[in-house]
Amino acid sequence: MPASEKRLLTSIHDVAPCFESEVDRLADLIEARLGPARFAMLVVPDHWGRAPLSQATAFQARLRGWAERGVEMFVHGWFHRDTAQYQGAAGFKAKHMTAGEGEFLGLSHAEALRRMRDGKALVEDVIGMPAAGFIAPAWLYGPGAMQALGECGFALAEDHFRVWQPGHEDTPLAKGPVVTWASRSTMRTASSLAFAALARPALQPLRTVRLAVHPGDVTKPSILASVDATLRAFTRRHGPGRYADLLK
């Protein structure tokens, strides 16, 4: 894709053996609009300590197949579960921005570094190629995680409002809010549907637009319809791209 063109970056979060059928449905929906393998997957090594990728050989083979077709594979935390105790602003984020899943918000530098390195080693061993980057669960990073990011050799990282190269946080490669959906309550679903409807025209001027879907999205037809409408709206002006395009 020429550097002057607008791009659409689409990702499936929480890719883990326990969500295989949901990931399949989301991949089918995305590929129907964007074409084969024009999206990223965010892989959780052991979702909530109950779905170890290291023991799921059949799912490992599927991940390798997707990667060989061109799907970008990001490391997405380790457990995706947050067990830290917080005070102040971090406590507000942990309570209101995620349902106990901001794993890297309260980790020490040493623990964040260990989980990032272990996740990178596992995912790269499974797919047989370098991981595309690291994206923290719920897009939340504490100071320890931010320090560790620059030491792990990841090419890219992302939060709610930007994509950057670790070590170069002050010069983002893309800026703008991620369009995503929430399925865990009626109120959150309604607000995410409203934001997506607003974003479809409002974010068109952005050079890079990012969409993120989650396994829980398949439980609500209203969300699936909104995802499809949003993909259709942005593909009118934005070509399906890859995160790696940002490094060119």
Side-chain angles (χ1 to χ4, degrees):
M1 175 184 295
S4 60
E5 290 188 14
K6 293 183 177 181
R7 61 174 63 88
L8 174 65
L9 304 180
T10 305
S11 59
I12 302 176
H13 285 225
D14 305 350
V15 174
C18 55
F19 296 127
E20 184 170 6
S21 63
E22 292 90 339
V23 169
D24 280 337
R25 288 187 63 187
L26 292 170
D28 288 345
L29 174 62
I30 293 167
E31 290 192 332
R33 294 297 175 191
L34 305 187
R38 304 301 293 175
F39 59 95
M41 287 185 170
L42 277 55
V43 182
V44 183
D46 187 5
H47 192 273
W48 279 58
R50 301 168 188 165
L53 177 61
S54 61
Q55 299 176 24
T57 54
F59 194 68
Q60 289 180 23
R62 297 207 66 201
L63 287 179
R64 182 182 283 259
W66 273 314
E68 289 174 347
R69 289 172 55 209
V71 175
E72 292 180 292
M73 296 288 172
F74 284 82
V75 181
H76 192 40
W78 183 269
F79 294 117
H80 207 289
R81 183 180 183 184
D82 182 11
T83 57
Q85 299 296 316
Y86 299 98
Q87 294 181 345
F92 180 87
K93 288 183 180 180
K95 180 178 180 181
H96 295 285
M97 296 182 68
T98 181
E101 297 195 315
E103 178 186 5
F104 278 73
L105 181 59
L107 293 183
S108 67
H109 165 252
E111 183 60 21
L113 185 63
R114 183 183 71 82
R115 295 190 195 186
M116 285 182 188
R117 285 178 171 168
D118 288 351
K120 186 173 187 288
L122 175 60
V123 170
E124 292 183 346
D125 182 61
V126 167
I127 65 176
M129 63 186 73
F134 178 87
I135 299 175
W139 293 286
L140 294 174
Y141 303 78
M146 289 299 292
Q147 182 182 351
L149 257 180
E151 302 171 26
C152 290
F154 288 112
L156 293 167
E158 174 186 86
D159 64 17
H160 277 100
F161 296 103
R162 59 184 176 151
V163 182
W164 72 93
Q165 288 181 276
H168 302 276
E169 294 81 9
D170 294 333
T171 54
L173 300 169
K175 294 190 291 185
V178 178
V179 182
T180 191
W181 290 263
S183 61
R184 69 178 186 265
S185 73
T186 300
M187 182 178 297
R188 288 180 181 272
T189 296
S191 63
S192 67
L193 294 175
F195 178 76
L198 178 65
R200 290 196 282 270
L203 300 186
Q204 290 288 348
L206 291 180
R207 179 177 172 185
T208 300
V209 172
R210 293 176 291 147
L211 269 60
V213 295
H214 294 77
D217 294 344
V218 307
T219 65
K220 294 192 173 181
S222 60
I223 291 180
L224 291 178
S226 178
V227 171
D228 189 52
T230 304
L231 287 168
R232 286 189 285 110
F234 283 117
T235 51
R236 296 188 186 111
R237 298 183 185 177
H238 294 72
R242 295 168 53 82
Y243 278 83
D245 296 340
L246 298 173
L247 297 170
K248 296 178 182 178

